[in-house]
Amino acid sequence: MKVKEPVDQLGRFPFRTWSMKYLSAVELAYSNDTIDDRDRQLRRMDKVFRELHSKGKVSCHNPKTLTPEDILAYVGYQKRRGLKETSIAKNLATLHRLLQFAGNTSMDAFKVKYRSSVPTS
């Protein structure tokens, strides 16, 4: 009989769970204002990724398993909303930190694979 790999028990909101783990890990390195700003950014991202997942635009909303195509869909969503390149770049920087914390290298693959879609700050 094969033993199953343990699954992260992240509940219904894996993005929010990972973001809370990330923020608690870095809270001593940043000021309270920065932590509040990152928390707000990550809550907004969680909402967007859940919306995109419900519409079938992204494969999941778990930072550990996001793919470069999911990130591309997120960037496309932000561009359709009319966000400036600098705002999108800031959001991607925060997302990149969260993905690195979760052990996901999809952002690096996204930057190589979809070079023309990567906003510059």
Side-chain angles (χ1 to χ4, degrees), residues 37-52:
D37 184 53
R38 295 265 164 83
D39 183 42
R40 184 177 37 79
Q41 275 183 316
L42 291 168
R43 278 187 280 123
R44 192 177 324 117
M45 283 182 210
D46 174 44
K47 183 179 176 183
V48 170
F49 273 108
R50 282 189 286 125
E51 178 185 332
L52 292 173

Side-chain angles (χ1 to χ4, degrees), residues 5-24:
E5 291 284 322
V7 179
D8 287 335
Q9 298 297 323
L10 299 174
R12 287 180 49 197
F13 306 107
F15 195 97
R16 189 68 184 136
T17 303
W18 272 108
S19 63
M20 293 304 291
K21 287 180 185 181
Y22 167 71
L23 290 172
S24 65

Side-chain angles (χ1 to χ4, degrees), residues 94-105:
T94 302
L95 181 61
H96 189 207
R97 289 184 201 102
L98 176 65
L99 294 181
Q100 282 180 324
F101 181 77
N104 187 342
T105 59

Side-chain angles (χ1 to χ4, degrees), residues 44-95:
R44 192 177 324 117
M45 283 182 210
D46 174 44
K47 183 179 176 183
V48 170
F49 273 108
R50 282 189 286 125
E51 178 185 332
L52 292 173
H53 183 253
S54 69
K55 292 180 180 178
K57 305 278 186 188
V58 297
S59 62
C60 65
H61 52 95
N62 184 346
K64 193 165 184 87
T65 57
L66 283 176
T67 65
E69 289 74 23
D70 296 337
I71 298 168
L72 180 65
Y74 176 69
V75 169
Y77 173 84
Q78 289 188 316
K79 286 183 179 181
R80 283 190 303 278
R81 282 190 52 221
L83 262 66
K84 295 179 182 178
E85 293 272 320
T86 54
S87 298
I88 296 172
K90 287 178 185 178
N91 288 337
L92 285 181
T94 302
L95 181 61

